[in-house]
Amino acid sequence: MTSRPQKIRWGILGPGSIAKSFAGGVAQSRTGELVALGARNPGKPGLAETFPGARILDGYEALLADDGVDAVYISIPHPGHAEWAIKAAEAGKHVLCEKPLALTAFEADAMIHAARKAGTFLGEAFMYRLHPQTLKLVELIKSGVIGEVRMIKSSFGFAMPGFMPEHRLYANDLAGGGILDVGGYPVSMARLLAGAAVGQPFAEPDKVVGAAHLGQSGVDEWASALLQFADGIVAEVSCSISLNQDNVLRILGTKGQIEVPDFWFAGGNRDVGPGRIDLIRPDGSRETISVNETRHVYSFEVDGAGEAILAGRQEFAWPGMSWADSLGTLRALDKWRAAVGLEYEIEKPAKRVNTLSGRPLRKDGKAIAKRAIPGLPKPASVVALGFEDFRTFSSGSILLDAFFEAGGNLFDTGYVYGAGYTETLLGQWLRSRGVRDQSVVIGKGAHSPLCYPDVIGKQLAQSLDRLQTDHVDIYFMHRDNPDVPVGEFVDAMDAEVKAGRIRGPFGGSNWTMERMDEAIAYAERTGKQKPGALSNNFSLAEMLEPIWAGCVTSSTDDWKAWLTARQMPNFAWSSQGRGFFTDRAGRDKHDSEELVRVWYSEKNFGRRDRAIELANRLGKSPIHVALAYVLAQSFPSVPLIGPRTLDEQEDSLRALDIKLSAEDVAWLDNGPERRRA
């Protein structure tokens, strides 16, 4: 006879009302048992009675260190979710985390990254998603009983007795307000139903617009948003902490509608929800459908998580919240918050002084090696980080911290990036982390159409103000203007060197070989500092035509010879061919206009074929080989990478393990003789 699987031994991180409800769910679950509680105040009266059978441990660290605990339920206020979920994964614990999974999708992505690396389960505790009512609701939508879904309306709002600055719902430092506390319910439900209407697990809105009232403490006290989906479905969602709402989910179709009261409790409370669904036909007649559930409402998520853990899965099975589902909901909440200008003080540089895991920044990373660059007085990491996609300090600092902790200290910015926000973000991070002296900052200015000598100093002054520093370490003109004598540009950059605002090499981004030669010759004649660096496109795949107007590639044979002869450092953008070495490209794939226009040639496909062959031999990916190729040149070649997530960054760094010989480089370039065993 097959023995019954061992139960998951749960520990609760942080006592509270929701933790008490979860404990009730564990007690009535099939797969779990409550064994421990981690509390900051373990002597608080009533803990033993509220959590019967649980060992009361002194602090959260003690819970994570307990070998008798398999999985942790995190029920502390929102700002602690990411820190303790990451620490729990590092301790080898499975995690079920109360909603919202994190403050932002960027934080949630970092939590997922930690769980993926640890091989542990991570789930977001939207309890309603595992209740049988939700599956019944999806079945009704798929059956077509109300025809085609056109609109979804849902609210989750209540009124606190009054403004209570000490309460977590009003506390800015605890990420209070309705959007994060209860807004995720209608948003996640709308995404689920919009997906069900088209036969998908969930759907992502094409557009999110929002409005809110921000109260005395700066948190949203009532808010609404519109979500528009690609198939024409529109969702109206609202939430509140200072306003009672009807709290009914309405699904409007072409042949009727569905109403569900308090769907997050399945029409009940924190103990039992029978699951009531009202079907309203076009003639106004009603039919009430109930799943008649009597089990504890929290037992379903306990068993959903337990079954996943026992099966060796790292995320919930549908209709539970998968990682992609949680990220999608948080991205919608991020857009909602951005639309109403809601950024918490704890997300800003003054208070976010540690890494997301709650620890000070480590400054001894060795995963990314450093190298000397001619003309640069301090060593720079072999790859440079660009981060143009980030628009908040809390999001961008996650990647900056990880890059620096891996040993990276070279950062690529530009005056025009993000209308100046990239420079502002980097400046905030450098000051917050206290690592300006250890860092190498690339500045760029004088982009078209403002590509004139007198613009260089003016824009550099603005850049330095944003960067909160008095100099950049490397400077590039972002474009060239052939109508201006090159000597005028050299004079302008040399003047910034003499003023101490450029303290390393300067040069051109997207400059031609002839223009660089002319600029160097001018500097030699006049005793000025010579242009000593380039930032042109360079990749194993040769750019056939400019990605953007005014761009220059240095991937041709004559350019390689020139760079080698000059030993000119090139800081290579689009060093991995912008997706050409991934599955997005292929001789039979023409979905991406940019890939086809810029990279598709038989010569480039031959290089791609050889990169794939070598990657298979090395147990790597073709994009790793492509990045290793850029690093292995016979001149100083520094690739600029632009990961958007920790997974992407860590994946890019796998290329650093590949050491290509000159023969390997030549073979990747031109074939046909195989040199590497």
Side-chain angles (χ1 to χ4, degrees):
M1 186 174 69
T2 304
S3 61
R4 184 175 180 178
Q6 180 181 356
K7 286 192 172 185
I8 303 300
R9 298 170 298 177
W10 285 95
I12 293 177
L13 195 149
S17 61
I18 194 74
K20 178 182 178 181
S21 297
F22 178 79
V26 175
Q28 294 190 30
S29 71
R30 293 177 287 98
T31 61
E33 59 178 335
L34 181 63
V35 299
L37 169 76
R40 291 278 173 84
N41 180 15
K44 182 179 179 180
L47 289 182
E49 292 76 18
T50 304
F51 302 96
R55 289 176 281 108
I56 310 301
L57 304 179
D58 187 0
Y60 306 158
E61 295 283 4
L63 182 68
L64 301 187
D66 194 314
D67 291 337
V69 172
D70 303 313
V72 173
Y73 171 70
I74 296 176
S75 58
I76 57 178
H78 313 332
H81 290 184
E83 174 183 347
W84 289 100
I86 291 170
K87 287 178 175 176
E90 292 172 346
K93 307 297 186 188
H94 303 289
V95 172
L96 179 62
C97 184
E98 256 309 314
K99 54 77 207 163
L101 188 59
L103 300 188
T104 67
F106 296 99
E107 288 190 4
D109 179 80
M111 297 161 68
I112 292 167
H113 176 75
R116 183 181 285 114
K117 288 181 67 175
T120 52
F121 172 87
L122 172 66
E124 185 174 19
F126 270 112
M127 172 270 291
Y128 84 89
R129 290 293 288 267
L130 282 303
H131 192 284
Q133 173 185 267
T134 298
L135 194 56
K136 183 62 177 178
L137 192 58
V138 169
E139 289 172 355
L140 288 171
I141 296 300
K142 289 183 175 181
S143 74
V145 68
I146 62 168
E148 296 182 9
V149 175
R150 290 286 186 260
M151 185 169 285
I152 302 164
K153 299 183 179 184
S154 180
S155 62
F156 191 162
F158 53 88
M160 294 287 286
F163 177 67
M164 305 164 64
E166 73 285 354
H167 195 284
R168 69 170 186 85
L169 288 173
Y170 289 98
N172 196 296
D173 281 355
L174 294 180
I179 293 176
L180 285 190
D181 195 66
V182 291
Y185 285 98
V187 168
S188 62
M189 177 59 91
R191 293 175 57 258
L192 175 72
L193 296 174
V198 294
Q200 299 295 325
F202 52 82
E204 303 297 358
D206 293 333
K207 187 177 182 180
V208 177
V209 295
H213 168 74
L214 304 185
Q216 298 178 49
S217 58
V219 307
D220 63 296
E221 296 188 5
W222 53 89
S224 290
L226 287 175
L227 284 64
Q228 186 171 0
F229 296 88
D231 53 3
I233 296 175
V234 174
E236 298 178 3
V237 299
S238 60
C239 61
S240 51
I241 60 171
S242 299
L243 181 70
N244 286 318
Q245 299 192 47
D246 64 1
N247 296 341
V248 175
L249 166 68
R250 295 180 173 88
I251 311 162
L252 284 63
T254 55
K255 297 180 180 179
Q257 58 182 294
I258 289 172
E259 290 186 354
V260 185
D262 298 333
F263 70 81
W264 44 90
F265 285 149
N269 52 41
R270 283 188 173 182
D271 294 321
V272 177
R276 172 183 166 181
I277 301 170
D278 290 333
L279 176 62
I280 307 171
R281 304 191 187 281
D283 62 3
S285 61
R286 286 177 172 258
E287 176 187 355
T288 297
I289 301 168
S290 177
V291 295
N292 296 314
E293 188 54 63
T294 59
R295 286 180 59 192
H296 196 289
V297 290
Y298 282 87
S299 67
F300 300 106
E301 72 174 8
V302 174
D303 284 334
E307 288 162 5
I309 293 168
L310 291 170
R313 299 195 308 270
Q314 290 189 263
E315 51 189 313
F316 274 123
W318 185 88
M321 297 287 285
S322 67
W323 291 349
D325 203 353
S326 290
L327 287 172
T329 291
L330 277 166
R331 289 188 186 108
L333 297 182
D334 289 347
K335 292 176 182 177
W336 191 356
R337 282 215 285 145
V340 304
L342 177 56
E343 182 180 14
Y344 300 106
E345 292 301 315
I346 52 169
E347 297 178 288
K348 297 178 182 178
K351 293 191 175 182
R352 185 153 293 206
V353 296
N354 289 325
T355 65
L356 190 60
S357 61
R359 293 181 283 258
L361 185 72
R362 295 190 298 270
K363 302 179 181 180
D364 57 353
K366 297 291 190 293
I368 305 174
K370 293 184 174 64
R371 66 182 299 174
I373 299 292
L376 187 67
K378 53 186 166 183
S381 52
V382 296
V383 294
L385 179 67
F387 44 96
E388 191 177 354
D389 289 336
F390 298 99
R391 292 294 176 269
T392 65
F393 180 81
S394 64
S395 60
S397 62
I398 296 170
L399 201 69
L400 289 164
D401 287 342
F403 182 72
F404 191 90
E405 289 194 330
N409 74 331
L410 179 57
F411 302 98
D412 177 60
T413 67
Y415 178 83
V416 299
Y417 291 160
Y421 186 70
T422 298
E423 292 179 328
T424 299
L425 171 56
L426 179 60
Q428 292 172 336
W429 180 82
L430 291 169
R431 178 174 288 272
S432 170
R433 302 303 189 255
V435 294
R436 175 62 185 97
D437 290 344
Q438 299 102 300
S439 299
V440 178
V441 177
I442 300 171
K444 293 194 290 289
H447 195 291
S448 303
L450 298 177
C451 191
Y452 298 98
D454 64 332
V455 171
I456 292 173
K458 294 174 184 176
Q459 290 188 347
L460 181 56
Q462 288 182 267
S463 292
L464 295 177
D465 183 60
R466 295 167 179 166
L467 290 163
Q468 302 186 52
T469 185
D470 60 356
H471 72 282
V472 294
D473 300 283
I474 302 168
Y475 179 83
F476 294 113
M477 284 182 56
H478 214 153
R479 290 289 193 273
D480 188 16
N481 184 351
D483 293 333
V484 176
V486 75
E488 295 183 26
F489 287 132
V490 174
D491 288 345
M493 289 186 280
D494 180 75
E496 297 303 328
V497 171
K498 288 183 169 58
R501 301 204 300 181
I502 301 174
R503 298 189 188 173
F506 63 72
S509 178
N510 299 297
W511 274 41
T512 66
M513 192 187 311
E514 294 74 20
R515 191 73 160 167
M516 281 293 289
D517 280 334
E518 186 182 352
I520 292 169
Y522 171 83
E524 290 175 338
R525 288 196 311 272
T526 58
K528 305 293 174 65
Q529 176 169 311
K530 294 187 293 185
L534 267 171
S535 184
N536 286 357
N537 166 252
F538 186 88
S539 171
L540 175 57
E542 188 176 320
M543 192 171 73
L544 306 177
E545 64 174 81
I547 301 173
W548 305 287
C551 290
V552 175
T553 182
S554 295
S555 299
T556 61
D557 290 340
D558 57 343
W559 260 111
K560 293 170 192 171
W562 185 91
L563 290 165
T564 300
R566 288 274 192 187
Q567 284 299 292
M568 179 67 68
N570 184 57
F571 293 76
W573 54 266
S574 294
S575 57
Q576 293 168 295
R578 295 177 64 81
F580 182 72
F581 293 95
T582 71
D583 290 340
R584 290 178 52 217
R587 289 177 175 86
D588 60 341
K589 296 180 180 179
H590 294 80
D591 295 337
S592 170
E593 181 275 336
E594 180 187 288
L595 282 176
V596 173
R597 174 175 58 88
V598 178
W599 310 106
Y600 275 30
S601 72
E602 192 50 44
K603 185 176 182 179
N604 278 341
F605 275 118
R607 290 166 168 165
R608 185 176 183 273
D609 292 341
R610 291 187 288 276
I612 292 171
E613 178 186 333
L614 182 53
N616 289 336
R617 289 174 179 265
L618 298 175
K620 302 284 187 179
S621 297
I623 57 170
H624 302 143
V625 173
L627 191 60
Y629 169 87
V630 176
L631 287 163
Q633 295 302 307
S634 56
F635 56 88
S637 181
V638 182
L640 311 178
I641 61 173
R644 292 162 295 179
T645 67
L646 295 179
D647 279 341
E648 288 181 4
Q649 178 171 288
E650 196 160 282
D651 184 67
S652 289
L653 298 186
R654 292 185 63 203
L656 304 184
D657 299 331
I658 303 174
K659 306 301 179 186
L660 299 179
S661 67
E663 291 80 9
D664 296 326
V665 170
W667 176 77
L668 286 167
D669 249 337
N670 303 308
E673 186 177 349
R674 178 70 196 153
R675 295 286 186 181
R676 191 182 184 101

